Amino acid sequence: MTSSDIRQKFLDFFAKRGHAVLPSASLVPKNDPSVLFNTAGMQPLVPYLMGRPHPSGNRLASAQKCVRTGDIDDVGDSRHLTFFEMLGNWSLGDYFKEDAIKWSFEFLTSKEEGLGLDPARLYVTVFEGDENAPRDLEAVEIWKQYVPENRIYFLPAENNWWSPGDNGPCGPDTEMFYDVTPDGLGDMTHEQYVAADDAGQLVEIWNDVFMEYEKQDGKVIGKLGMRNVDTGSGLERITMMVQGKSNVFEADMFAPAMNLIKESAQNYTERDARILSDHLRTALFLIADGVTPANKDQGYILRRVIRRAVMKTKILNVEANTGINILNHYINFYSAAYPEVAKKGIMDIFKAEDEKFDKTIQSGIKEFEKGTDAFTLFTTYGFPIEVTEELASAKGMTVDREAFNTQMKAHQDSSRAGAAAKFKGGLADTGEKTTQLHTAHHLLLAALQKVLGKDVHQRGSNITEERLRIDFNFDRKMTDEEKVEVERQVNEWIQTNHNVCRREMPLQEAQGIGAEMEFGAKYPDVVSIYFIEDEAGTAISKEFCGGPHVEKTEGLGTFKIQKEEAVAAGVRRIKATLS
Ligand code: GLY
């Protein structure tokens, strides 16, 4: 079974059980400045888990593109990845533990409709209970129908409580683990089970979260109005299991990339090859979702994965076009499921960053020649310690590893604190100011199209309480006259007081009326469109969007462009405020 067979089987399995299959949302969350990327299938669904009715119903399933950069230092082991696909099914106040567990077990083990995994290799953990919620005896009773009771283990909240961040829906979960040892581990006591997990003999393959609680500022504050199910299963891990492999890099999406490296590397190491394979795939999916290399936010992460990948090509000493060949493999492999990876221009963005980095490396080498230390070479020029060591040994010198490690540790602690603040997950900011800026964002796009031409479309966006930011395709700097005219137009629309209305309609109808879509994004069958229209009902803006928005444009205040700049070839960025 290939990974695409598995993805399709999963979606078919849940479609047959009444679930609407949703396309993957973009990796870059819409209207949620609190997280840089979708890190779980549930993230685009947070408002619905909190109670808003979903246009496609209360049973949903998807394969969602996810990026988790918190694990970046673990990449290179047998199972960690920066990009992965998460298979998930959801009940929004509909079915609960009984069906969720039954279907997880059936999908994993059924030979006809599922993956045909061996039930004798399955182990299960459930929540042991604490001051927030009781021990999950209900889940145990249900599991006992499918696995022997001595293979069900109670674990604390640290293991068996799941939430996307400090705010939002959460709950106890039950996790399924698969034994990947050649001979099988058989029955285990609690202690043996924990030790086997620590030793990597078990791999988590699915998590069913019983999401009926809410967190605020990191504390569970009580129950939600409804009982939800949120499940997540990593496609790459499942594929590795089904294909009988012991690490994800042997599964079908990675094996050809690993072979390309093996064939051309002068200096092959398994770990470096894995990191290169992982990072190039992540870079491809990020660029396909409209991210361009930059010095902060999503663009910074992209820059970092591209540069780490390029460094690995140097450390592995592969032939010049190996990176491009690997990217081409991924494009071919994924274009049926994710057509956005085959968009024009992706390679150009990659190559431009590669060249830019090459210049940095050249100046780094000059710095090295001048005697600059390994830590500065790392933080300023992105030189991994291995590269500095290689340069040093070519000159018969060595690097003081201990000094480097001490400096690195201090550096990591401070950047981790920054990253933790960035990655704080949770609900979209629905504060008054942010909501107003969302509406101004739609007006701005409409004004840009009016002034610069209809071919202008959004390539990215980010909204905070202070300002809005839009990236759009346009191949030159805007003139002062154009900026003034865009501002004037937005302010005129604000003052003539337009109404903002949300309507749900079939995707085809929305496309038929020319509603603005984000480049590269895929949409479900029923979509939500925000119209900004005058009293006569003539729309000046129609955009696919989940909100939130103000109801009327009056009261938005005065719109002002603060900055207009290039972010990549053919992509401009505007930052603007309301005052
Ligand atoms: N949302 C469930 C998980 O990511 O495991």
Side-chain angles (χ1 to χ4, degrees):
M1 225 185 291
T2 65
S3 54
S4 28
D5 295 338
I6 296 172
R7 185 194 300 112
Q8 198 54 49
K9 261 196 141 164
F10 178 88
L11 297 173
D12 290 347
F13 180 94
F14 284 99
K16 200 174 149 194
R17 287 157 181 81
H19 293 65
V21 172
L22 305 178
S24 173
S26 165
L27 277 169
V28 181
K30 286 203 174 59
N31 307 318
D32 187 351
S34 66
V35 282
L36 290 179
F37 300 112
N38 280 315
T39 57
M42 58 77 74
Q43 216 134 24
L45 299 174
V46 167
Y48 308 102
L49 291 159
M50 297 296 288
R52 187 198 286 178
H54 194 285
S56 301
N58 53 15
R59 292 185 181 198
L60 309 170
S62 75
Q64 170 66 43
K65 298 179 280 189
C66 298
V67 163
R68 286 189 186 174
T69 49
D71 292 339
I72 196 162
D73 292 327
D74 293 324
V75 175
D77 71 3
S78 63
R79 67 193 70 169
H80 282 95
L81 299 167
T82 50
F83 168 90
F84 62 97
E85 287 180 69
M86 189 181 280
L87 306 173
N89 58 288
W90 291 273
S91 156
L92 303 174
D94 185 26
Y95 61 86
F96 204 45
K97 297 183 187 181
E98 184 82 44
D99 285 330
I101 290 175
K102 177 175 74 184
W103 291 335
S104 292
F105 181 78
E106 273 179 19
F107 181 70
L108 289 175
T109 57
S110 158
K111 288 206 171 60
E112 296 74 40
E113 280 190 282
L115 305 179
L117 290 172
D118 180 1
R121 286 181 171 264
L122 204 57
Y123 299 82
V124 170
T125 62
V126 296
F127 181 55
E128 71 175 20
D130 64 11
E131 67 281 8
N132 293 316
R135 196 172 177 82
D136 200 351
L137 297 170
E138 194 187 341
V140 175
E141 280 311 303
I142 300 164
W143 270 122
K144 274 161 56 182
Q145 301 171 55
Y146 309 107
V147 297
E149 193 174 359
N150 61 353
R151 298 211 182 171
I152 305 170
Y153 304 93
F154 287 107
L155 288 173
E158 195 189 330
N159 305 83
N160 285 62
W161 187 279
W162 202 89
S163 65
D166 284 346
N167 292 290
C170 60
D173 66 44
T174 176
E175 302 185 4
M176 287 142 266
F177 289 78
Y178 202 65
D179 173 355
V180 290
T181 60
D183 303 328
L185 295 160
D187 288 342
M188 288 186 282
T189 63
H190 189 104
E191 288 67 33
Q192 286 168 329
Y193 169 82
V194 171
D197 186 27
D198 280 349
Q201 295 176 313
L202 298 163
V203 176
E204 184 196 336
I205 47 173
W206 206 338
N207 183 10
D208 291 356
V209 188
F210 305 119
M211 219 160 224
E212 56 171 333
Y213 295 87
E214 183 180 0
K215 240 188 197 181
Q216 264 178 26
D217 297 327
K219 287 211 168 58
V220 178
I221 54 158
K223 287 202 172 182
L224 292 168
M226 61 191 199
R227 302 194 305 176
N228 306 303
V229 171
D230 156 43
T231 87
S233 173
L235 177 63
E236 291 78 357
R237 288 186 183 187
I238 289 265
T239 304
M240 140 188 161
M241 238 78 70
V242 170
Q243 296 180 348
K245 309 293 186 195
S246 57
N247 81 73
V248 281
F249 295 94
E250 289 173 10
D252 63 5
M253 67 289 285
F254 288 117
M258 293 294 285
N259 285 338
L260 283 167
I261 301 169
K262 242 175 230 155
E263 282 160 15
S264 85
Q266 301 283 328
N267 188 19
Y268 184 85
T269 73
E270 180 71 14
R271 189 178 157 80
D272 289 334
R274 289 176 180 181
I275 294 173
L276 177 57
S277 304
D278 169 84
H279 285 17
L280 286 177
R281 192 176 71 136
T282 305
L284 172 66
F285 274 95
L286 287 175
I287 299 173
D289 274 349
V291 179
T292 46
N295 284 336
K296 31 183 238 232
D297 299 337
Q298 287 90 352
Y300 172 70
I301 303 289
L302 172 61
R303 171 158 284 165
R304 198 162 150 217
V305 295
I306 293 179
R307 291 184 171 204
R308 282 190 86 193
V310 172
M311 266 301 182
K312 292 299 176 197
T313 62
K314 296 189 192 303
I315 293 169
L316 289 154
N317 200 1
V318 289
E319 280 157 29
N321 51 358
T322 305
I324 299 297
N325 293 343
I326 294 173
L327 285 170
N328 277 323
H329 150 66
Y330 288 136
I331 291 171
N332 289 333
F333 192 87
Y334 285 109
S335 57
Y338 298 104
E340 63 272 24
V341 299
K343 262 181 348 200
K344 281 206 194 71
I346 291 188
M347 271 318 177
D348 296 338
I349 293 178
F350 182 83
K351 284 181 189 157
E353 182 63 17
D354 184 4
E355 278 163 26
K356 206 167 178 183
F357 186 40
D358 208 52
K359 290 207 184 89
T360 315
I361 292 182
Q362 297 314 328
S363 32
I365 290 178
K366 281 203 194 103
E367 286 302 309
F368 171 81
E369 306 278 344
K370 283 193 234 156
T372 303
D373 66 283
F375 178 71
T376 311
L377 285 172
F378 177 81
T379 46
T380 315
Y381 299 92
F383 271 38
I385 183 77
E386 295 84 356
V387 174
T388 309
E389 280 178 336
E390 230 165 77
L391 292 171
S393 85
K395 286 184 166 290
M397 302 180 334
T398 53
V399 173
D400 183 352
R401 265 274 185 159
E402 217 163 280
F404 176 82
N405 289 343
T406 315
Q407 281 171 303
M408 275 308 289
K409 195 172 171 329
H411 177 72
Q412 274 164 354
D413 288 347
S414 69
S415 58
R416 222 170 261 139
K422 268 250 144 83
F423 284 96
K424 224 171 89 187
L427 280 178
D429 178 356
T430 53
E432 191 190 344
K433 202 68 209 167
T434 312
T435 305
Q436 288 179 341
L437 283 163
H438 271 294
T439 305
H441 192 282
H442 285 211
L443 292 173
L444 170 58
L445 181 58
L448 287 170
Q449 289 172 334
K450 201 162 168 210
V451 176
L452 305 178
K454 285 201 187 54
D455 291 335
V456 167
H457 296 288
Q458 178 175 319
R459 293 294 303 271
S461 94
N462 173 278
I463 296 172
T464 69
E465 249 179 81
E466 283 87 40
R467 54 113 186 101
L468 67 84
R469 194 184 82 197
I470 183 170
D471 293 347
F472 59 98
N473 60 302
F474 192 57
D475 55 16
R476 62 167 170 82
K477 195 172 164 54
M478 285 172 72
T479 63
D480 288 342
E481 291 73 28
E482 285 165 341
K483 284 190 261 183
V484 169
E485 177 53 22
V486 167
E487 277 178 350
R488 192 204 58 74
Q489 180 61 73
V490 172
N491 284 314
E492 183 193 302
W493 284 331
I494 292 175
Q495 278 147 25
T496 41
N497 194 25
H498 285 71
N499 296 315
V500 186
C501 322
R502 174 171 179 272
R503 300 191 184 111
E504 280 171 8
M505 60 180 70
L507 176 62
Q508 261 191 332
E509 191 182 331
Q511 285 166 329
I513 61 164
E516 191 63 29
M517 316 178 59
E518 184 157 6
F519 195 50
K522 284 203 276 174
Y523 293 91
D525 293 336
V526 179
V527 292
S528 144
I529 307 292
Y530 273 93
F531 290 75
I532 305 183
E533 53 193 24
D534 62 19
E535 292 303 335
T538 312
I540 49 159
S541 160
K542 295 171 264 191
E543 269 196 50
F544 287 69
C545 181
H549 284 279
V550 301
E551 282 171 16
K552 289 181 175 299
T553 61
E554 74 180 351
L556 288 186
T558 307
F559 173 83
K560 182 140 187 56
I561 295 179
Q562 301 294 350
K563 202 166 187 184
E564 190 268 344
E565 60 185 336
V567 277
V571 183
R572 310 289 305 176
R573 169 170 292 178
I574 285 181
K575 286 187 183 156
T577 52
L578 288 170
S579 56

